[in-house]
Amino acid sequence: MSALYAPILTVCGCALICVLASGFVTDGGVKRVLSLVMGAFIVASLVLPIQNAVRSVSLSLESSASPDEVIASSDEIVQRRVLAQTAENLEKTLGALLLQNGVEIRDCEVILADAGEKGIIISQICIYLDKDDRQSTQTVREVTCSGFGIEPLILTETE
């Protein structure tokens, strides 16, 4: 809004100066020349603020992100969400698979990595067991290896 105040004040000031200057001139020939000069002055005072406003708008547009950068960042956001949702789904599946084999785990964490070419690999699986479930470590290891093809890191709670 402050960008509009400067041109408005400039035009009003120029008009006031022109009115005052034309009031002091009485000769017809000088009045015509003065009117021509004042008209050019008013036009110049109108063009300059508009030109400055256009320059400031073009500068702000140049500093914005390019469409390729916006697409790249949105692709990265989608990729992160896909990785997070896939990890969550795998954690639920692993918990249900272990529960079917008689092992109740406290928590598990599946860490995924981007394999390129739009592929995802499981880089690590951490399984957290309660201290009472230490004897089921071998079952957890076998079920996880057969179902997910990776050796899990099993952490048990200590007293």
Side-chain angles (χ1 to χ4, degrees):
M1 228 27 197
S2 64
L4 290 175
Y5 292 133
I8 291 171
L9 287 176
T10 304
V11 170
C12 290
C14 290
L16 183 64
I17 290 171
C18 291
V19 167
L20 290 175
S22 66
F24 291 117
V25 177
T26 58
D27 186 22
V30 176
K31 196 166 194 164
R32 284 187 202 150
V33 172
L34 185 62
S35 295
L36 181 65
V37 170
M38 287 188 294
F41 179 68
I42 288 176
V43 169
S45 67
L46 285 172
V47 170
L48 189 62
I50 292 171
Q51 183 182 10
N52 289 339
V54 169
R55 281 186 186 161
S56 68
V57 168
S58 65
L59 290 176
S60 66
L61 291 177
E62 290 172 0
S63 65
S64 65
S66 70
D68 292 336
E69 292 172 350
V70 171
I71 291 170
S73 62
S74 65
D75 286 345
E76 291 169 0
I77 291 170
V78 168
Q79 182 66 19
R80 275 187 254 135
R81 287 184 181 169
V82 166
L83 285 174
Q85 186 62 47
T86 304
E88 183 181 331
N89 292 347
L90 288 173
E91 290 166 1
K92 289 178 182 177
T93 302
L94 179 59
L97 189 61
L98 290 171
L99 193 59
Q100 286 176 354
N101 286 287
V103 178
E104 189 171 344
I105 61 172
R106 186 167 37 111
D107 195 16
C108 70
E109 182 179 2
V110 176
I111 300 171
L112 301 176
D114 186 12
E117 298 294 322
K118 298 185 180 182
I120 298 172
I121 60 170
I122 300 173
S123 63
Q124 187 178 17
I125 297 177
C126 296
I127 299 173
Y128 303 97
L129 297 174
D130 289 328
K131 59 186 173 202
D132 300 334
D133 294 327
R134 286 184 185 168
Q135 68 277 3
S136 58
T137 303
Q138 186 60 31
T139 306
V140 169
R141 197 174 310 278
E142 289 172 0
V143 169
T144 306
C145 284
S146 67
F148 290 86
I150 189 169
E151 182 80 22
L153 175 63
I154 301 172
L155 302 171
T156 56
E157 184 181 277
T158 58
E159 296 181 275

